[in-house]
Amino acid sequence: MELGIDSFAATMSGTLAAQPSPADRIANLIEEIETADSCGLDVFGIGEHHRPEFLDSAPAVILAAAAARTKSIRLTSAVTVLSAADPVRVFQEFATLDLISKGRAEIVVGRGSFGEAYPLFGLRFEDYDALFAEKLELLLEIRAKEKVHWSGKFRPGLSGQGIYPRPYQEEIPIWLGVGGTRQSFARAGLLGLPLMVAIIGGEFRRFRPLIDLYREAWRRAGHPPEHQRVGVHALGFVAETSAEARDTFFPGWSHMFTEIGRERGWPPVTRAQFDAQCGPGGAFLIGDPETVAWKLREASDDLGGVSRFTFQMSSAATEHQAMLKSIELLGTKVAPLVRESVKVRR
């Protein structure tokens, strides 16, 4: 099981007494990626948003800066909003990242949980799914072929143009990022793509039928079973004690999800809801190392086996040093506990 971090480069606006400047926040983020690399984590992802509370509108640029200062950690988007992007440019950016990192780049593509990218780039939100399906087709074609012949509805066609540079890896891994839509799970299985499931509330086990749908679509499409991979993106934070982890994470989580909820007509979140999600049945990976390792094992069992978990820590709204400590504990305490348990089971 691989473990890693996903960050949205949150500015923490309104939640810290001393707000870091955007430049300082990006510098802190690069240090977080360096720390994740040095303590043995497997992957670090950067999201994509176009909102004032996040600084991740150009994830490939942040990942390229981190690539030059890390050695082994894989670097990925989390997720690239492909519906609102040009697949040619996405491939070029991540192929360049792959060259800089000498083969550590990955892409997680999705439709995005926010809609601000669509009007920003002159697209209709009503074409949400059709845009994604067409652009994913083109991105996979570019990955497979240096010179591409392709035509579609939303983008000018290609008549044999070469797409450069080509990546360091023979094939950049492309994951399909999904929420709770059955069609998306089935699509990933039919296309033979690794699956990254965002689970930011509720219970992990409730996603088992959807993941089984992915596995069945994969089987029916005849893809090699050994290539199938399921990842989970979840809210998580590690501290020396579970009480410390919860108290550290709650203020930022409460602020962020109350603000987002206000936009969507939801009531404010509560501490009782938060604590329930941190409990044995909840989907928050928040606690001391032993608690988090246990929840990871339980979640993997509930979902029929998970290849990768990534922790979304950037809503913690905590001091930079506490964030670095959490990353260190995930790499040096949680990861060994999980890997040892996997070894024993095998």
Side-chain angles (χ1 to χ4, degrees):
M1 182 191 296
E2 295 178 337
L3 296 180
I5 309 290
D6 286 334
S7 176
F8 298 163
T11 61
M12 317 300 187
S13 177
T15 56
L16 289 176
Q19 296 294 326
S21 68
D24 288 341
R25 178 69 186 100
I26 291 293
N28 289 347
L29 176 56
I30 299 299
E31 188 177 1
E32 290 167 19
I33 303 174
E34 289 181 284
T35 300
D37 181 55
S38 65
C39 71
L41 289 175
D42 300 291
V43 61
F44 204 108
I46 301 294
E48 180 191 339
H49 299 83
H50 303 272
R51 301 168 58 92
E53 62 266 43
F54 302 116
L55 300 173
D56 61 350
S57 64
V61 177
I62 299 173
L63 293 169
R69 294 170 60 173
T70 54
K71 296 179 180 179
S72 60
I73 197 165
R74 298 193 67 78
L75 301 165
T76 183
S77 58
V79 304
T80 294
V81 184
L82 189 61
S83 303
D86 183 344
V88 172
R89 201 63 177 139
V90 169
F91 184 85
Q92 290 175 325
E93 289 171 348
F94 280 86
T96 303
L97 171 64
D98 204 48
L99 294 173
I100 296 170
S101 65
K102 290 186 167 55
R104 293 185 280 131
E106 300 186 5
I107 313 172
V108 180
V109 296
R111 296 176 296 183
S113 60
F114 294 92
E116 71 275 356
Y118 294 85
L120 182 64
F121 296 109
L123 302 167
R124 287 171 14 107
F125 192 75
E126 292 81 1
D127 296 324
Y128 182 80
D129 190 64
L131 280 162
F132 182 75
E134 178 178 295
K135 292 186 177 186
L136 178 59
E137 175 191 279
L138 177 54
L139 181 62
L140 295 176
E141 186 76 3
I142 293 169
R143 182 176 69 165
K145 299 174 183 177
E146 182 176 323
K147 295 186 177 181
V148 177
H149 294 267
W150 177 90
S151 63
K153 176 181 177 182
F154 298 103
R155 186 201 186 280
L158 296 169
S159 54
Q161 292 94 330
I163 311 298
Y164 305 108
R166 305 309 292 181
Y168 186 92
Q169 300 173 85
E170 183 176 342
E171 185 175 274
I172 292 180
I174 297 176
W175 297 63
L176 190 59
V178 301
T181 306
R182 290 177 59 85
Q183 179 186 3
S184 297
F185 285 80
R187 175 188 282 146
L190 290 171
L191 292 174
L193 297 176
L195 181 75
M196 178 57 67
V197 189
I199 304 177
I200 59 171
E203 298 175 313
F204 287 114
R205 64 185 178 182
R206 294 182 62 184
F207 283 79
R208 178 64 181 266
L210 292 169
I211 292 174
D212 285 346
L213 174 63
Y214 162 73
R215 292 178 171 129
E216 178 62 16
W218 182 289
R219 185 190 67 79
R220 291 191 176 189
H223 300 299
E226 65 273 15
H227 293 168
Q228 187 181 101
R229 301 185 72 192
V230 173
V232 171
H233 160 101
L235 297 174
F237 195 78
V238 190
E240 295 288 355
T241 68
S242 289
E244 179 187 354
R246 294 184 185 193
D247 290 343
T248 300
F249 199 87
F250 175 73
W253 173 84
S254 174
H255 176 80
M256 181 176 293
F257 280 84
T258 295
E259 290 299 310
I260 292 171
R262 183 178 292 114
E263 296 177 11
R264 301 180 181 186
W266 303 342
V269 297
T270 68
R271 180 64 191 245
Q273 291 172 325
F274 175 79
D275 286 338
Q277 290 293 300
C278 294
F284 290 0
L285 301 168
I286 297 173
D288 61 72
E290 292 76 17
T291 296
V292 171
W294 177 82
K295 289 197 76 171
L296 286 166
R297 292 191 294 264
E298 290 294 305
S300 182
D301 288 346
D302 287 344
L303 298 174
V306 173
S307 302
R308 174 183 291 181
F309 277 96
T310 56
F311 285 53
Q312 207 289 81
M313 293 185 178
S314 62
S315 59
T318 188
E319 298 295 339
H320 178 51
Q321 292 305 315
M323 185 75 79
L324 295 180
K325 180 64 174 178
S326 181
I327 294 170
E328 180 186 344
L329 287 171
L330 181 60
T332 61
K333 299 293 186 182
V334 177
L337 289 170
V338 172
R339 289 165 186 156
E340 183 60 31
S341 69
V342 171
K343 189 186 303 182
V344 168
R345 291 184 183 193
R346 286 176 178 169

